[in-house]
Amino acid sequence: MTTIVEDIRVLFRSYDPSPVIGLDKIPQSGSNRMYFRIRTKEGSYIATYNDNIKENRTFVHFSRHFRAAGCPVPAIYAINEAYTIYLQEDFGDVSLLNQLEKNGHNDHVYELFRQSLKELAQLQIRGDKGLDYDWTITSREFGKQAIISDLLYFKYYFLDTLQIPYDKERLIDDFEALGTYLTHVDHKYFMFRDFQSRNILVDKGKVHFIDFQGGMKGALQYDVASMLWQAKAELSDEWKNSLLEYYMDCVEEILSTKIDRLRFASQYNGYVLIRLLQVLGAYGFRGLFERKAHFLTSIPLALRNFKWFLANKQVGIVLPEFERLLKLMVEETVIHRFEPLRADENTPLVVHINSFSYKNGIPEDGSGNGGGYVFDCRGILNPGRIKEFKTLTGRDKEVKDYLEQQTLMPEFLNNIYNIVDISVEDYIKRGFGSLLVNFGCTGGQHRSVYATDALARHLRNKFNVKVDIHHIEQEKKNWINSQ
């Protein structure tokens, strides 16, 4: 990390000699790319580090091409010789999803969705002109093979885990038929591939797009489906329908011709189906196979979103075996498999979670029951060894970013979630009143504090259970300082 930061400083100095007053790592999401915000008195920039050089070259090429076409994508300012680091324009860190979560489904957010769709149509159609698709990372085009690949991904990582009997040959025939149907669309241009509200940044009332390096040639409908049917956005049917109509207006304006709206909407529904299944496949892989708690808890919401789609929309092609399986997949008994038991106001269970220092011993169970869990965080890199973190705790942003991005803490916690969840669910069912969980590290200041807060947040979100937190060493310090 020290080498990466220094390389970023060297690249920035070659672009702008202004003194750097801040260089902060931005928390990563799902990719291996690392982002840093560089601040000077005059402004701020984003530095990206990625050892996937092909991906970097694609992003830089696409960004420069779309920028020249007038699309709201970041400017690229400088690239190092190894092509592992590049500087780009900073649009801030407020996404369209943040705006939605903060303001709800109001007129302001609706207008941001309209603006996003208008700019999307511009990027797809005008950005397609002269674009060299040899730069794509995977396939040049989202055609039949890519569609079937997404369907098989869903089959292997989600459908097969449900153990619903099916006719394999008939299902593959339906996959082939759906792939053929969706390949023969009227309008193929640039396809963003992951166009969703997290990848749309809002700065000074204007929308900007990031993370389009996975794009390829494809149907216009796919990106609209990705945005309007994002499960976390929970857009109403009224919004989905009116925004789709507005998007088609934008397409007709850019193309200067009328489109077959009934056919467009029918194939749009087909791409909604593909997108929803692709998301379920991803949740299945990350949640059911990699056992990542966040993805497991997302499955019920995705299934209910999908259930509504099946009941209210028509794809425009008959798929007998596939449709039979999809209807079985969204039955309440199946959805309940993924829904955790939830505590209510009458649930007696309280989960007591402590952070502590091994120097001062393991906390005892005050309930008198004995037992509980003790997890040793000392196998995780200690932020306390870093000078700028010595006076901070696991509740400070800088320490949290370090633990999330530079250590095995996320993997460590995912394993703990799987273990503790078993006891919490069992204790709720049996009416038990207390469970103790202790996290220890050397000083009880960084790793154990972070892990305690993370488990508390997980248990509240998943089980709605009452949680009692004590940061033992920090509470001691606070008491001493108050005397």
Side-chain angles (χ1 to χ4, degrees):
M1 178 56 63
T2 303
T3 302
I4 293 171
V5 170
E6 182 55 34
D7 288 345
I8 288 172
R9 290 184 181 276
V10 169
L11 178 61
F12 185 76
R13 281 196 298 269
S14 72
Y15 169 72
D16 185 345
S18 302
V20 173
I21 60 175
L23 201 164
D24 304 310
K25 190 172 186 302
I26 300 171
Q28 284 170 260
S29 51
S31 75
N32 293 322
R33 294 183 297 278
M34 289 190 284
Y35 296 101
F36 301 79
R37 176 166 281 114
I38 302 171
R39 290 179 290 111
T40 67
K41 286 185 178 180
E42 289 74 29
S44 63
Y45 308 81
I46 298 296
T48 304
Y49 172 82
N50 183 11
D51 57 12
N52 186 333
I53 294 172
K54 182 178 180 182
E55 187 176 89
N56 294 342
R57 291 185 182 277
T58 296
F59 180 79
V60 169
H61 178 82
F62 281 180
S63 190
R64 286 174 169 168
H65 175 85
F66 294 141
R67 184 93 177 176
C71 302
V73 301
I76 305 298
Y77 298 126
I79 310 161
N80 71 344
E81 189 174 341
Y83 237 95
T84 55
I85 300 171
Y86 53 89
L87 302 177
Q88 64 187 78
E89 188 173 1
D90 185 5
F91 294 131
D93 52 12
V94 177
S95 70
L96 178 55
L97 181 61
N98 296 146
Q99 289 283 309
L100 181 60
E101 291 172 339
K102 177 183 176 181
N103 300 299
H105 297 78
N106 64 10
D107 291 344
H108 167 68
V109 173
Y110 183 78
E111 285 306 314
L112 288 175
F113 270 88
R114 279 170 56 98
Q115 186 186 146
S116 300
L117 289 171
K118 183 174 184 178
E119 294 292 354
L120 170 66
Q122 297 275 1
L123 182 142
Q124 289 174 312
I125 299 171
R126 293 194 170 137
D128 173 80
K129 187 176 181 180
L131 181 63
D132 183 356
Y133 283 98
D134 285 340
W135 284 95
T136 54
I137 296 172
T138 53
S139 305
R140 285 175 54 91
E141 182 173 334
F142 190 73
K144 182 177 178 179
Q145 185 176 359
I147 292 169
I148 292 175
S149 177
D150 275 2
L151 291 170
L152 290 173
Y153 183 73
F154 155 76
K155 172 189 173 299
Y156 293 136
Y157 291 116
F158 189 80
L159 180 62
D160 286 349
T161 68
L162 303 180
Q163 297 182 329
I164 300 173
Y166 61 85
D167 186 314
K168 183 177 179 180
E169 289 187 5
R170 291 180 63 193
L171 181 63
I172 296 301
D173 286 344
D174 285 350
F175 284 179
E176 289 277 344
L178 181 59
T180 300
Y181 171 71
L182 293 179
T183 300
H184 292 94
V185 294
D186 298 328
H187 307 286
K188 288 186 180 182
Y189 295 92
F190 180 77
M191 191 179 86
F192 197 109
R193 188 70 162 116
D194 194 21
F195 191 73
Q196 42 131 326
S197 56
R198 280 194 184 92
N199 290 333
I200 302 169
L201 298 178
V202 181
D203 183 33
K204 299 174 184 175
K206 301 294 184 182
V207 299
H208 307 273
F209 302 156
I210 59 173
D211 283 358
F212 41 79
Q213 59 274 351
M216 60 189 73
K217 191 91 166 181
L220 289 176
Q221 293 96 325
Y222 187 97
D223 289 334
V224 190
S226 299
M227 182 189 193
L228 300 185
W229 282 84
Q230 183 184 358
K232 197 166 182 62
E234 296 185 277
L235 301 186
S236 67
D237 192 42
E238 180 184 359
W239 272 37
K240 288 173 184 172
N241 291 337
S242 62
L243 288 169
L244 176 62
E245 288 293 328
Y246 175 72
Y247 173 79
M248 289 191 285
D249 290 342
C250 295
V251 170
E252 288 183 339
E253 181 180 349
I254 296 170
L255 295 177
S256 300
T257 186
K258 293 291 184 182
I259 63 174
D260 185 338
R261 292 198 173 210
L262 286 177
R263 177 176 166 82
F264 190 96
S266 175
Q267 292 179 324
Y268 161 81
N269 288 335
Y271 279 103
V272 172
L273 173 64
I274 293 294
R275 181 62 179 175
L276 294 178
L277 294 176
Q278 192 266 339
V279 168
L280 277 170
Y283 287 171
F285 177 70
R286 299 295 185 188
L288 300 173
F289 286 83
E290 294 189 340
R291 304 303 301 172
K292 292 185 176 178
H294 166 71
F295 293 96
L296 279 172
T297 56
S298 298
I299 289 174
L301 179 61
L303 283 175
R304 294 200 180 279
N305 194 32
F306 192 70
K307 184 175 184 177
W308 191 95
F309 170 80
L310 290 178
N312 293 277
K313 301 297 180 180
Q314 298 294 322
V315 174
I317 181 174
V318 177
L319 306 164
E321 182 68 359
F322 197 22
E323 290 174 3
R324 182 186 72 83
L325 288 172
L326 294 179
K327 289 175 183 176
L328 292 174
M329 186 184 77
V330 296
E331 288 184 349
E332 287 299 315
T333 54
V334 175
I335 296 176
H336 285 327
R337 292 189 207 175
F338 302 101
E339 290 182 326
L341 189 65
R342 301 280 289 177
D344 58 32
E345 63 273 11
N346 298 316
T347 302
L349 180 63
V350 178
V351 183
H352 303 274
I353 314 176
N354 302 317
S355 66
F356 71 94
S357 166
Y358 273 101
K359 295 176 182 178
N360 298 319
I362 300 172
E364 294 183 1
D365 184 359
S367 71
N369 296 322
Y373 296 100
V374 180
F375 295 108
D376 189 344
C377 301
R378 290 176 296 183
I380 305 297
L381 289 173
N382 185 4
R385 294 178 178 272
I386 299 173
K387 183 179 178 180
E388 56 263 38
F389 295 158
K390 283 187 179 297
T391 60
L392 303 179
T393 76
R395 286 187 158 177
D396 289 299
K397 182 180 183 300
E398 297 89 339
V399 175
K400 291 193 288 187
D401 289 349
Y402 175 84
L403 288 170
E404 289 167 4
Q405 310 305 330
Q406 304 305 318
T407 75
L408 293 174
M409 181 63 83
E411 184 178 346
F412 176 73
L413 285 174
N414 270 318
N415 290 320
I416 289 171
Y417 296 159
N418 290 330
I419 294 170
V420 175
D421 285 359
I422 294 171
S423 292
V424 172
E425 189 161 344
D426 181 68
Y427 283 21
I428 291 174
K429 289 178 182 177
R430 298 168 70 185
F432 288 0
S434 178
L435 174 65
L436 176 65
V437 183
N438 291 311
F439 287 98
C441 63
T442 306
Q445 181 176 338
H446 299 100
R447 295 163 291 182
S448 59
V449 168
Y450 175 88
T452 294
D453 287 349
L455 179 63
R457 184 168 55 251
H458 166 77
L459 294 179
R460 288 189 185 113
N461 290 340
K462 185 172 182 179
F463 297 103
N464 193 39
V465 72
K466 293 185 284 290
V467 176
D468 176 44
I469 296 175
H470 287 286
H471 294 300
I472 293 173
E473 295 303 316
Q474 303 314 304
E475 289 168 10
K476 283 181 185 176
K477 291 177 183 177
N478 292 338
W479 184 85
I480 291 171
N481 292 334
S482 69
Q483 299 307 300

